Amino acid sequence: MQSLKIIALLMEYPNDELWEAAAEIQQAVTQEVPQINAFADAFFAATLIDRQAEWCELFDRGRATSLLLFEHVHAESRDRGQAMVDLMAQYEKAGLQLDSRELPDWLPLYLEYLSIQP
């Protein structure tokens, strides 16, 4: 399921590390998910600062396009907290260790989790 990890990488906030690995990522796209070759080519053809601005405009402007999954499901209800705890337990069971600043319902993280599932 390497394709899900590649898609997760392309959904993350664009940073220097991602841009430095552009050639490697594009090669992985070609091998694993050729259906998104045109997207990856166009994605890396722009400058990093332009991609960062686009990312902020798309994902930081409101709930409708949030990459936090439970925000769409639970919004601000108390159920969101329990859902996070349950998802963390799933990640730990699968051997996935989270960085202290990552929320468990972050879509790119969830895709990474799915990429290691049978």
Side-chain angles (χ1 to χ4, degrees):
M1 288 289 207
Q2 187 70 15
S3 58
L4 293 176
K5 183 155 177 100
I6 293 166
I7 292 168
L9 274 172
L10 294 172
M11 292 182 80
E12 288 279 352
Y13 180 76
N15 59 27
D16 292 328
E17 188 177 287
L18 182 69
W19 243 242
E20 289 167 7
E24 184 181 341
I25 293 169
Q26 286 179 296
Q27 182 179 4
V29 166
T30 300
Q31 292 172 349
E32 300 289 331
V33 223
Q35 306 89 322
I36 64 168
N37 264 333
F39 171 81
D41 290 344
F43 182 79
F44 288 113
T47 64
L48 175 58
I49 193 81
D50 286 342
R51 285 295 174 234
Q52 289 172 334
E54 289 173 0
W55 192 96
C56 288
E57 186 66 32
L58 182 60
F59 297 118
D60 280 348
R61 297 286 182 196
R63 281 194 185 147
T65 57
S66 174
L67 292 177
L68 296 170
L69 296 171
F70 293 151
E71 195 163 300
H72 298 285
V73 177
H74 300 294
E76 299 297 323
S77 78
R78 290 181 182 215
D79 295 337
R80 184 173 185 206
Q82 186 59 51
M84 294 272 215
V85 169
D86 294 344
L87 188 54
M88 284 288 293
Q90 275 186 279
Y91 289 161
E92 288 173 10
K93 186 178 176 183
L96 192 62
Q97 295 293 331
L98 300 189
D99 181 304
S100 62
R101 59 191 167 88
E102 293 178 309
L103 292 174
D105 66 336
W106 179 247
L107 180 57
L109 176 62
Y110 190 68
L111 290 173
E112 186 174 338
Y113 162 72
L114 292 176
S115 76
I116 63 172
Q117 296 305 297

